């Protein structure tokens, strides 16, 4: 799982939508970490959902992602590190938009593209853990009509974006099925997403 987690490619908004199993808006209620019965480290995140943009609606979701948020003490008194580069970081009270993948066969789940699929809301702006770098690069919009705010949004090369415009744009993209999921043939060889299975 650690090896696979670190092999992610840059992803734009169409990639994130196309590969997501669930997209939610909400706030982080609790973050806990530990080592499971399978002896693999995990971070368990509980999110109170205010809006389900894609996937089954639920008032709360809880998922475990591979790796720890911070080192834990081991039984022998030493620190058990268990940290995985690129995994999203969470804290209670944080407002988030999450592009989530499927739960793996061993019960782990994370955001698409790791930190690329986890957006934090601060001061009316949204930003993922890679500073939104490449979020709108090479996005196929076809002949879709965009309003002035959306036209400005899609010219963003990096940095925070307005949450209202982004979420409105995202809802349209999902509801109108702008980007169709790739066929099974294409996904079988893809390494763009980590479900940590």
């Amino acid at each position: 799982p650690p090896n696979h987690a670190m092999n992610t490619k840059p992803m734009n908004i169409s990639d994130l939508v196309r590969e997501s199993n669930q997209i939610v808006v909400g706030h982080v209620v609790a973050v806990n970490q530990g080592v499971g019965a399978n002896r693999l480290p995990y971070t368990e995140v509980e999110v109170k959902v205010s809006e389900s943009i894609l996937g089954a609606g639920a008032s709360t979701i809880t998922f475990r992602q591979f790796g720890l948020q911070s080192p834990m003490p081991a039984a022998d008194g030493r620190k058990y590190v268990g940290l995985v580069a690129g995994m999203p970081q969470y804290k209670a009270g944080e407002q988030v938009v999450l592009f989530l993948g499927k739960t793996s066969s061993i019960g782990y789940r994370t955001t698409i593209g790791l930190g690329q699929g986890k957006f934090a809301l601060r001061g009316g702006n949204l930003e993922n853990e890679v500073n939104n770098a490449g979020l709108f690069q090479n996005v196929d919009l076809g002949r879709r009509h965009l309003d002035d705010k959306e036209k400005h949004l899609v010219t963003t090369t990096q940095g925070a974006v307005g949450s209202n415009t982004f979420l409105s744009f995202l809802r349209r993209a999902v509801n109108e099925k702008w980007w169709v999921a790739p066929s099974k043939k294409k996904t079988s060889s893809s390494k763009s997403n980590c479900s940590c299975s």
Side-chain angles (χ1 to χ4, degrees):
N3 246 355
H4 188 62
M6 296 168 73
N7 291 334
T8 57
K9 68 176 184 180
M11 305 187 80
N12 62 29
I13 185 65
S14 60
D15 296 325
L16 295 176
V17 170
R18 189 181 293 116
E19 298 194 22
S20 290
N21 176 256
Q22 188 175 23
I23 303 173
V24 298
V25 182
H27 71 273
V28 178
V29 176
V31 181
N32 297 293
Q33 61 178 23
V35 178
N38 53 13
R39 300 176 70 182
L40 293 176
Y42 67 82
T43 296
E44 186 173 83
V45 183
E46 181 182 350
V47 178
K48 177 72 175 174
V49 177
S50 59
E51 180 182 2
S52 291
I53 295 176
L54 175 69
S59 59
T60 304
I61 60 169
T62 303
F63 61 93
R64 284 186 175 185
Q65 81 174 12
F66 181 79
L68 304 176
Q69 299 277 286
S70 57
M72 287 176 57
D76 60 4
R78 297 182 180 183
K79 281 189 176 178
Y80 177 76
V81 180
L83 306 176
V84 180
M87 282 294 187
Q89 296 287 306
Y90 295 92
K91 59 184 178 181
E94 176 177 42
Q95 301 287 324
V96 294
V97 178
L98 304 178
F99 292 73
L100 290 159
K102 294 180 180 179
T103 302
S104 73
S105 59
I106 57 172
Y108 287 78
R109 187 183 200 193
T110 192
T111 44
I112 299 298
L114 305 183
Q116 298 176 86
K118 184 253 179 174
F119 292 76
L121 174 63
R122 302 182 189 94
N125 292 315
L126 280 169
E127 190 171 4
N128 66 15
E129 295 192 356
V130 296
N131 194 32
N132 290 346
L135 186 59
F136 297 101
Q137 185 174 353
N138 301 322
V139 174
D140 181 11
L141 294 169
R143 296 185 178 182
R144 294 180 180 89
H145 173 74
L146 302 181
D147 64 28
D148 289 342
K149 289 183 178 179
E150 290 172 331
K151 286 176 183 175
H152 179 71
L153 175 75
V154 299
T155 63
T156 304
T157 54
Q158 67 176 13
V161 296
S163 59
N164 289 341
T165 303
F166 179 83
L167 289 173
S168 174
F169 176 87
L170 179 60
R171 290 182 196 108
R172 282 187 63 200
V174 171
N175 292 336
E176 297 173 17
K177 297 179 171 51
W178 288 3
W179 305 299
V180 180
S183 67
K184 289 183 180 180
K185 287 182 181 179
K186 289 181 183 176
T187 56
S188 64
S189 60
S190 172
K191 291 185 179 180
S192 60
N193 173 35
C194 165
S195 59
C196 298
S197 52

